[in-house]
Amino acid sequence: MNNIDTQYQALLNDILANGVKKEDRTGTGTVSIFGRQIRHKMSEGFPLLTTKKMPFKSIISELIWFLRGDTNIKYLVDNGCNIWNGDAYKNYLKLTKDAEPLTQEQFIDKIRLVRFKTDDEFVKKWGELGPIYGKQWRKCENFFYDNTDPDGDGFRYQSIDQIQNLINNLKNNPDSRRLMVNAWNVGELDQMVLPPCHYGFQVYTRELSLDERLDLMRKRTKDGTVDYDNRHHGFLDFHNIPKRSISLMWNQRSVDTFLGLPFNIASYALLLEIIAREVNMVPDELIGNLGDVHLYSNHLEQAREQIEREPMKLPTLNIDDEFWNTDIPFLESLKHDNFLKCLLEEDIQLCNYKSHPTIKAPLSN
């Protein structure tokens, strides 16, 4: 069953039928509606749209970039993910004092090829996007007042790893209603090349019933059966069968529906899968709360083309979680230079993905 493509096509139809024309910061112009939601059961397949071909490796690369706490496009460019190039180049044009600025192609080549110290300095200066997602997820800065130090001014600084805190809380207090990660740091918005579009997410867990856990156990056995005497929680605990399911809901203020939203859906689905593996839970439901849902004026014909396409069966995602079972914590392993290469080539396998061809559309920065 493929409800995600159907929901997405309905959203495109909704914008075309009910949207109002609005101006935007890029100068392109949009057709916009406000306040929509999409929902997907992860048991129905991995929600990578089939009505146009999606660049799954770029989706993985960007998510790992976020989880590393990185905010420089160097990592993305080196791994063939170019979705932030325009934002970095626009920032360069805005701030550079060069008499003859580089073209965007020259700019990206200079980011990609670091051979001399001067180029390295260029990457550090112009590849940096400010305190965007990775910074807020892994190194969110906070100043607070502490009157316990009689010799100081009372103000202290701390860096908060929201992803690590989330994982710790899921393991120790999974019924908490505070399982949230927030990228909308009001005090640092003016330092970002682009304020977060998807600005926060929340996860929710519930206990699995005995029957649900038995079904999971059956999927792991060769013949799909479990002995009657072993149908109890103690036996399932011994075999490390998950005790809970986990759902994720993200909030998005601005939704580039044709280019951005399909990317966001798959990215948060992958994040849900990764977190679930890390805390030994089962991915359940993916929910997106969408604010300003729009099509750029130069995406309208592409949207009409995609609406006419018949959805195909969703793919499945297989994760070899051997790299979780090491002495190195998962979030630390992300920092290794070869981690993404191993992830792309060995550990994450997208199975039976069939789709319609790519539909090209310009990106507005």
Side-chain angles (χ1 to χ4, degrees):
M1 182 181 297
N2 182 352
N3 285 324
I4 195 67
D5 268 287
T6 303
Q7 289 181 71
Y8 178 75
Q9 289 173 315
L11 194 59
L12 294 178
N13 260 320
D14 190 0
I15 298 170
L16 292 171
N18 304 307
V20 297
K21 291 184 178 180
K22 294 187 68 176
E23 298 302 318
D24 72 289
R25 65 175 177 85
T26 71
T28 308
T30 68
V31 179
S32 170
I33 56 179
F34 184 66
R36 299 295 188 269
Q37 187 181 79
I38 56 172
R39 306 180 77 101
H40 174 71
K41 293 289 289 185
M42 296 296 290
S43 59
E44 295 177 359
F46 188 78
L48 191 66
L49 293 190
T50 66
T51 45
K52 66 178 177 185
K53 188 175 182 180
M54 293 294 300
F56 189 56
K57 286 188 176 181
S58 289
I59 293 169
I60 297 175
S61 299
E62 187 198 39
L63 179 61
I64 298 304
W65 182 63
F66 290 161
L67 289 171
R68 282 166 55 99
D70 203 343
T71 56
N72 192 296
I73 65 166
K74 170 69 175 167
Y75 181 85
L76 296 178
V77 170
D78 287 349
N79 287 287
C81 181
N82 299 305
I83 59 176
W84 285 90
N85 290 3
D87 294 293
Y89 182 66
K90 185 177 179 180
N91 186 57
Y92 161 76
L93 290 180
K94 178 182 177 181
L95 300 177
T96 187
K97 296 180 180 178
D98 294 346
E100 296 182 7
L102 301 172
T103 66
Q104 183 164 334
E105 183 178 0
Q106 292 170 332
F107 175 81
I108 296 303
D109 283 343
K110 202 169 179 67
I111 294 290
R112 183 182 292 112
L113 301 174
V114 179
R115 297 175 179 173
F116 307 104
K117 183 178 180 181
T118 53
D119 286 337
D120 190 41
E121 291 174 353
F122 182 91
V123 169
K124 290 179 181 179
K125 181 176 182 179
W126 297 115
E128 180 58 46
L129 301 176
I132 60 169
Y133 299 99
K135 169 71 156 49
Q136 304 306 328
W137 283 16
R138 300 300 312 279
K139 292 170 285 189
C140 183
E141 294 182 356
N142 179 43
F143 288 90
F144 65 99
Y145 184 74
D146 180 4
N147 61 3
T148 60
D149 182 6
D151 299 323
D153 60 6
F155 288 97
R156 294 185 182 277
Y157 161 82
Q158 63 181 166
S159 178
I160 301 170
D161 188 337
Q162 293 191 81
I163 297 295
Q164 186 63 67
N165 286 351
L166 175 66
I167 290 172
N168 293 343
N169 287 329
L170 281 167
K171 291 178 177 179
N172 298 309
N173 188 17
D175 283 323
S176 172
R177 296 188 292 271
R178 302 175 183 180
L179 303 172
M180 301 175 65
V181 171
N182 186 11
W184 193 263
N185 188 335
V186 178
E188 294 187 328
L189 292 180
D190 60 350
Q191 302 172 44
M192 306 177 189
V193 296
L194 182 67
C197 293
H198 44 101
Y199 57 87
F201 67 91
Q202 179 179 358
V203 296
Y204 172 92
T205 79
R206 65 170 180 85
E207 289 187 352
L208 295 172
S209 68
L210 178 59
D211 287 341
E212 288 174 315
R213 297 187 73 199
L214 286 170
D215 285 341
L216 292 173
M217 184 66 186
R218 292 187 186 100
K219 292 176 182 178
R220 296 189 181 184
T221 59
K222 292 182 179 180
D223 59 2
T225 61
V226 179
D227 292 340
Y228 183 81
D229 291 342
N230 293 328
R231 296 178 184 179
H232 56 82
H233 286 292
F235 173 78
L236 299 172
D237 292 345
F238 178 78
H239 287 277
N240 202 33
I241 301 300
K243 297 179 181 180
R244 286 179 173 263
S245 71
I246 180 171
S247 297
L248 183 150
M249 178 175 69
W250 87 90
N251 297 304
Q252 190 160 347
R253 65 171 180 86
S254 178
V255 187
D256 174 356
T257 308
F258 188 75
L259 288 180
L261 181 57
F263 215 93
N264 302 137
I265 293 170
S267 181
Y268 275 106
L270 180 58
L271 178 62
L272 175 57
E273 290 274 4
I274 289 174
I275 293 174
R277 289 300 179 104
E278 177 68 5
V279 298
N280 194 30
M281 295 182 187
V282 180
D284 189 2
E285 193 169 18
L286 180 71
I287 305 163
N289 291 323
L290 312 177
D292 186 322
V293 186
H294 53 266
L295 285 168
Y296 282 102
S297 58
N298 52 5
H299 294 172
L300 302 182
E301 290 306 313
Q302 292 92 328
R304 292 187 180 99
E305 179 181 351
Q306 190 167 354
I307 288 170
E308 296 301 318
R309 293 180 171 184
E310 188 70 24
M312 301 179 182
K313 185 177 180 181
L314 289 178
T316 56
L317 187 73
N318 291 331
I319 298 180
D320 179 0
D321 57 4
E322 182 178 353
F323 59 87
W324 267 273
N325 303 321
T326 67
D327 294 332
I328 304 174
F330 170 67
L331 291 178
E332 286 297 315
S333 66
L334 294 173
K335 299 176 183 177
H336 293 187
D337 291 338
N338 66 343
F339 178 82
L340 181 61
K341 184 175 185 291
C342 293
L343 200 67
L344 292 171
E345 295 180 358
E346 303 172 16
D347 299 318
I348 291 184
Q349 299 296 325
L350 188 67
C351 303
N352 301 316
Y353 179 53
K354 296 180 180 179
S355 71
H356 292 269
T358 300
I359 303 176
K360 293 185 178 181
L363 178 63
S364 295
N365 294 116

